[in-house]
Amino acid sequence: MSKTDSHFLDHQVAADLLSVMPVGDRLPLTSDLKSLPMSLFIKTVEQSPIAISITDRKANILYINPAFTEVTGYSETEILGENESRLSDKSTPRQVYYDLWHTISGKQVWQGRLINRRKQGQRYLAELTIAPMLDEAGRVSHYIGMHRDITQLHQDEQQIKNQKQLIESMINASSVAMVVLDREQKIILDNQMYKMLHTELKHPEPALFFLQALQHETGELWSDEQTLGQSFNNLEVRVEASGARTTRWFSCSGNFFIENDTQADSFFSQQTKQYLLLSINDITRQRQQQERLQIQVLRNLLAEEEHLRSIRETLLGAMHQIGQPLNQIKAAIKLMVQRNDTENQPLRDLLNQVQRMGEETLATLGRCVPEIPESAEMPVNLNQLLHEVMLLNNQKFLVNGVVVDWLPDPVLPSILGAENKLRMLFKQLIDNAVNAMNRGSSNERGITISTLVQHGWVCVLIADTGPGIPVHQRNKVFEPFYTTQTGIGSSQAGMGLVMVREIVNQHRGLIEIDPDYSPGCRFNIRFPRQHSMTVTHHE
Ligand code: FAD
């Protein structure tokens, strides 16, 4: 076919081409299709936004549609009769052309991408499909080429890929563990540091463990009203020591974000999905340093408080001692008045005087009893507090050969309380346990301290391997100045458990000596868990 007689696709060429079908699409023309006018097919091709060309067996161009001119810059007069290789940019590897020809000459459809050059010289990336068409004898008679310029699409794809790679490498290089979760708490994305948490914490999915711990403190994290940009910052989660592992601290931050659904069915009604980016920063080293300093401060504070308490106990003990004979004097005076005993008036006067002086002394002593300073109530993590008390008592445990078994609940909710009082409470119970074991005959000296959550209560169990408290004394030990330790050398004033019960009551808690625990003694203390939405922020 010459260049001049093929400037446009005449009806005869179109009819010839339509009588042959692309291989693979060789379906019998239905009577309906045959009844359609030929001009309709020609218009369809001409109006197609895809660049379409029809060539002979050697890729010489017989027909182009207007979209071909638009994409390549070549008009009919310039390109008809020319070979498709006019479009070729030599930067396409030869192998691509080899594959292309190998496929189409084997009567198969070829699809691929190659670099083309427009008439004006600019390169563009073409996505090309070539379909061979067969004649009656089954030989290739023509090829149909369909291509579109996908340069912009490719650029966008590459840019997204590059950005993804950049974000992934930044996230992976971060020293903070990061994980993205959907509303069903399914992990969508994570980084290297997060993967390391798996092995370090020995938890099948650390993110779920952290979410559970955070929800204990803040309540439900996900809410329907959650909108883009909502976040929480630096919420601290403590992971208790177990086995050979030490206690770890993590600072958790979360950012909620939404993503538009990319599915076709949500094109008209935009659907969104909610995600949470959770960052988990290991702050164990900072917290250990802080804790060391804090323990030093606490040691001084506690020594001061104990000093105050011993003065209180001494004075209250003295008042108790004075109170007893004074009550007897009161009773004697009352008896003398009742009997109208006038004979012993000088004795009555003396007794009245002693009583007056005694009451004055009691009042003076009462004024001297120092108050233990009140401290503000705040959310307290009992695991943390008990851990501090154990550190404070370390020396004592070593000296007395006491082995401590620490069994904390890994995720313990906070309670509302005064830290200094609670610290005194536990220190008292631990001191009592060590003293009791020193008195006992058993060689085994062990204290087991456990925490757990039970029916909305945060429970602490302190058990020792000492001689235990006999059943008939179990209520009395909470009475003032009652002590199970008798005889010379007794250093106990019998006010320790009075203080313990007072502190438990102030915290709306309960304390009991476990009736079923033996041998030894176990105190069960429980406090209502904190139900507020208060979150402790550690900046
Ligand atoms: P060429 O010398 O043309 O060919 C390179 C290799 O291709 C040869 O070594 C040979 O192995 C094989 N080859 C070439 N012609 C034939 C043949 N008739 N039979 C068997 N093998 C053959 N190329 C583009 O770059 N851009 C396009 O948009 C494009 N569209 C095409 C559309 C159609 C319908 C067809 C049939 C081909 C199209 N081609 C296109 C391929 C084009 O014809 C060239 O093969 C290609 O451009 C390479 O050109 P070249 O001059 O570098 O090498």
Side-chain angles (χ1 to χ4, degrees), residues 89-109:
D89 184 85
K90 301 303 170 201
S91 52
T92 303
R94 307 290 309 161
Q95 185 60 36
V96 176
Y97 298 128
Y98 178 79
D99 288 344
L100 177 159
W101 279 105
H102 182 73
T103 310
I104 61 175
S105 54
K107 301 175 189 174
Q108 300 293 314
V109 174

Side-chain angles (χ1 to χ4, degrees), residues 53-61 68 72 83-90 92 94 97-102 104-105 110 114-117 124 126 128-131 142-147:
S53 57
I54 299 172
T55 73
D56 63 13
R57 282 201 301 269
K58 292 187 171 165
N60 294 317
I61 301 169
F68 188 95
T72 65
N83 194 281
E84 292 274 9
S85 66
R86 274 284 291 276
L87 300 178
S88 155
D89 184 85
K90 301 303 170 201
T92 303
R94 307 290 309 161
Y97 298 128
Y98 178 79
D99 288 344
L100 177 159
W101 279 105
H102 182 73
I104 61 175
S105 54
W110 182 86
L114 34 78
I115 301 166
N116 271 359
R117 196 184 270 269
Y124 68 95
L128 173 66
T129 302
I130 304 177
H142 297 86
Y143 292 111
I144 299 182
M146 290 158 277
H147 83 265

